[in-house]
Amino acid sequence: MAMASTLIGKQAVVIGAGMGGLTAAGALADRFDQVVVLERDTLPSEPAHRAGTPQARHVHALLLSGQRALSELFPGFEQDLARAGAVPLTAGLDVRIERPGYDPFPQRDLGWFSYAISRPALEGAVRRRVESRTNITLRQRCRVQEILAASNGEAVTGVGYANGNGANETIAADLVVDASGRGALTLDLLQAIGRLLPEETTIGIDLGYATCSFAIPDDAARDWKGIMTFGQAPESSRGGIMLPLEGNRWMATIAGRHGDAPPGDAEGFLAFARAFRTPTIYDAISRAKCLDGVARYGFPESVRRHFEQLKEFPRGLLPIADAICRFNPVYGQGMSVAAMEACLLRRLLDSPAADGDPIAALAPAFFAEVQALIETPWSIAMLDFAFPDTRGQRPADFEITLRFSRALTQLAAEDPEIHRLTAEVQNLLKPRSVYRDPNLVQRVLAKMAEA
Ligand SMILES: Cc1cc2nc3c(=O)[nH]c(=O)nc-3n(C[C@H](O)[C@H](O)[C@H](O)COP(=O)(O)OP(=O)(O)OC[C@H]3O[C@@H](n4cnc5c(N)ncnc54)[C@H](O)[C@@H]3O)c2cc1C
C-alpha cells in the first residue's frame, strides 16, 4: 500500500499495458492508493507476441536513456535485463555501423554498455516489476471503450470497458492515464465534451518494415555483434538493423520508404537485403537458419500532438507515450521516451503544488515539461526530409541542417570526443542543443567549408 500521507488520489486507471502504461503505473503507485491497468490483450506469462502490440515482432532497440529511466523507476532493472537473457553491447564497439562514406564507421569503446533484448522479453521484465507492487492490479482482456467525464466535461471520472466476458463495466478514477498507443480515446472524449482537439504535426515517411529472426551460426563474425546499414539518401532509402537477442538469435529488420517496402516472404526478404549498399547483413543471414516467418509493418507517419497548446483540458486525464508523440521507429526512440515520460510523471507527482489541486495541475505541468523530452527525438526525425518524398513542413533551412549533420558525422569519425557526444544525443542523454556550442559550431563550419 502507498503511504497514506503522500497520496494525492484514491484510484488511478491506466489504459494499456504497453511500455507507456506499465512505466506510468510504476510512477503512479506511490501517490495513489490503488492503480488499475486495463489491457485488452491476454498477457502471456512467458515472452510471446500479442495482438495489441504488432510492432513487437520487429527490432526494438532500447536507448541508454531508456535503460536509465527504467532503472530509475525500477531500481536494479539492469539485472532483470541480464536475467532475461539480454545481450550486453559495448556502445560504439559491438554494433557495426555502415553509412555512406564510412563502411564501417570507426568502432571505438564509448564508455558504456546497453542491452539488446526482444520487445516481448523487455515488456515481460517491466510487467513483472509492476506486478510485484501490491497496490497495482493488471486486468487483462479489458477493452476500454470510453473515458467518462462529469456532465459539464470539466473532470474525468473513470472509464467504461468491456471485460473478458464481453460484459460492460465502469471503473471510477481520480486520474486516467491514456497509454493506449493511438490515444483515440482521449480524442473521442475531447470531441464528446465539445473541446478543441490538439493540433498535429506530421512527417509522412511511408516506412515499410520486414523482420525475420535467425539462429546465430557458430562461425558468425567476431568483430561485431549487431549491425546497422544505411542507404545512400536520397537515392536509396533501403537499410537494415540486426541485433542479437536472448536465446542466441539475431533479429534482422529491413526497411524502405515511399513504396520501396520489403516483401513478406523469406526469398524476397533475402533478395531485398542483397540489394543493400553493403553485403554484411545479407552475407550473415544467407548462411543462417531462419527461425520464423517474415513479419511486416507499415508506418505511414510520425505524429506529434500539441496538447501543450490547449487552453483547457479535463481534470484527471493524462495521455502519455505514443498517445502524445509517435516517432519514426528507425531511430529506436519510442520506448525510451515513454520511460522518460514516466520518470517526469513521477517527479511531478513527488512535488505537487503546496496548495491547490495536484490532479488538476498535473496535465498542464506534464504537457509543458514533456516538450523538453520530445524536442530532441523529434528534431532527429526532421532528418527524414533528406528524402524528397517525405510529406510535411520541410524546415526552411533544411539544406544547411543536412550539410551541418554531414560535417558533424565527419568530425565524429575523426574525433572520439565528438563521436561520444553524437552517440549521447542519439541515445537521448543530451539535448540536440549541445550542437550549438560555439567551439563545436566553428569546427563543423570549417568542415563544411572544406566540403
Ligand atoms: C515497427 C516499429 C518498430 C519500433 N521500434 C522501436 C525501437 O526500436 N525502439 C523503441 O524504443 N521504440 C520502437 N518503437 C516504438 C514503440 O513500440 C512505442 O513507442 C512504444 O511501445 C510506446 O508505448 P505505448 O505504451 O504508447 O504503446 P504500446 O506499447 O503500443 O502499448 C499500447 C497498449 O495499449 C493497449 N490498448 C490499446 N487500446 C486499448 C483499449 N481500448 N483498452 C485496453 N487496452 C488497449 C494495447 O493492447 C497495448 O498493450 C517501434 C514502433 C514500431 C511501430
Side-chain angles (χ1 to χ4, degrees):
M1 282 292 231
M3 300 253 303
S5 58
T6 60
L7 297 181
I8 66 161
K10 197 158 177 284
Q11 182 151 276
V13 167
V14 178
I15 307 169
M19 290 304 286
L22 292 172
T23 51
L28 294 168
D30 289 336
R31 299 287 169 242
F32 287 82
D33 191 22
Q34 293 295 323
V35 179
V36 179
V37 184
L38 299 174
E39 166 56 49
R40 63 186 171 185
D41 276 354
T42 300
L43 296 169
S45 50
E46 295 298 320
H49 296 296
R50 58 189 180 84
T53 51
Q55 76 270 33
R57 292 183 180 272
H58 303 272
V59 163
H60 263 64
L62 180 64
L63 303 179
L64 188 62
S65 53
Q67 192 175 304
R68 287 191 179 161
L70 287 169
S71 298
E72 187 181 323
L73 292 164
F74 308 111
F77 188 73
E78 287 183 9
Q79 282 133 47
D80 295 21
L81 288 173
R83 266 195 298 276
V87 181
L89 298 173
T90 304
L93 206 54
D94 284 341
V95 177
R96 177 183 165 100
I97 296 176
E98 299 176 340
R99 50 171 80 248
Y102 310 93
D103 288 323
F105 198 80
Q107 281 168 271
R108 354 177 139 94
D109 185 345
L110 296 178
W112 72 79
F113 66 92
S114 53
Y115 285 98
I117 184 166
S118 71
R119 160 74 191 246
L122 173 62
E123 197 182 282
V126 178
R127 200 159 60 233
R128 272 190 292 282
R129 283 301 191 108
V130 168
E131 282 167 342
S132 73
R133 300 291 301 254
T134 51
N135 66 332
I136 304 181
T137 312
L138 259 171
R139 289 195 202 158
Q140 317 178 37
R141 294 177 293 282
C142 291
R143 180 183 292 271
V144 177
Q145 290 158 322
E146 61 175 331
I147 298 171
L148 305 170
S151 55
N152 61 7
E154 287 194 353
V156 156
T157 55
V159 305
Y161 66 98
N163 70 18
N165 303 320
N168 292 336
E169 292 188 19
T170 60
I171 180 169
D174 300 305
L175 177 70
V176 172
V177 173
D178 182 356
S180 64
R182 300 292 164 138
L185 293 156
T186 291
L187 303 187
D188 288 350
L189 174 75
L190 293 177
Q191 213 149 25
I193 60 175
R195 296 283 173 91
L196 290 176
L197 298 185
E199 284 193 12
E200 292 185 351
T201 306
T202 57
I203 305 176
I205 52 175
D206 305 321
L207 187 68
Y209 252 45
T211 294
C212 197
S213 296
F214 300 87
I216 300 180
D218 294 338
D219 61 350
R222 295 275 169 243
D223 56 341
W224 54 262
K225 290 183 184 169
I227 173 150
M228 287 168 82
T229 299
F230 295 92
Q232 175 79 57
E235 294 83 16
S236 171
S237 64
R238 286 191 181 194
I241 176 168
M242 187 162 83
L243 290 181
L245 302 181
E246 72 277 6
N248 199 35
R249 290 175 290 155
W250 278 326
M251 182 178 267
T253 289
I254 59 177
R257 301 178 188 220
H258 306 297
D260 190 21
D265 61 291
E267 233 172 83
F269 188 93
L270 276 179
F272 192 90
R274 189 175 200 166
F276 281 172
R277 212 174 40 75
T278 58
T280 322
I281 290 186
Y282 173 78
D283 285 349
I285 61 177
S286 59
R287 295 180 300 108
K289 184 177 169 229
C290 173
L291 295 174
D292 49 15
V294 176
R296 298 177 86 205
Y297 197 100
F299 187 93
E301 57 189 16
S302 305
V303 181
R304 180 174 180 178
R305 294 192 175 126
H306 296 283
F307 286 103
E308 77 283 4
Q309 294 173 355
L310 295 177
K311 298 250 176 326
E312 295 176 319
F313 199 73
R315 176 190 186 275
L317 176 61
L318 188 69
I320 202 165
D322 276 16
I324 299 186
C325 195
R326 296 188 83 205
F327 302 97
N328 178 347
V330 161
Y331 306 110
Q333 299 162 331
M335 298 189 301
S336 295
V337 173
M340 288 193 285
E341 286 181 14
C343 291
L344 167 63
L345 174 60
R346 195 164 79 162
R347 275 198 294 282
L348 293 174
L349 292 170
D350 280 352
S351 51
D355 50 356
D357 177 349
I359 292 182
L362 185 63
F366 185 85
F367 294 148
E369 293 207 25
V370 80
Q371 302 312 314
L373 281 183
I374 292 176
E375 193 67 27
T376 292
W378 188 259
S379 67
I380 291 172
M382 285 296 212
L383 296 174
D384 289 332
F385 284 105
F387 297 98
D389 288 339
T390 300
R391 287 170 279 109
Q393 188 68 47
R394 191 183 161 95
D397 57 355
F398 186 68
E399 281 314 314
I400 296 175
T401 305
L402 216 50
R403 285 178 53 215
F404 188 96
S405 169
R406 282 195 207 110
L408 183 65
T409 303
Q410 203 179 336
L411 266 184
E414 293 164 7
D415 181 340
E417 284 307 312
I418 308 293
H419 187 177
R420 183 176 299 113
L421 184 74
T422 55
E424 284 169 340
V425 173
Q426 280 150 12
N427 275 274
L428 308 181
L429 298 170
K430 287 192 173 159
R432 206 155 190 273
S433 55
V434 295
Y435 296 156
R436 288 192 218 124
D437 172 76
N439 288 334
L440 179 61
V441 169
Q442 217 166 31
R443 292 180 65 191
V444 176
L445 290 178
K447 278 277 168 232
M448 284 163 76
E450 277 173 30

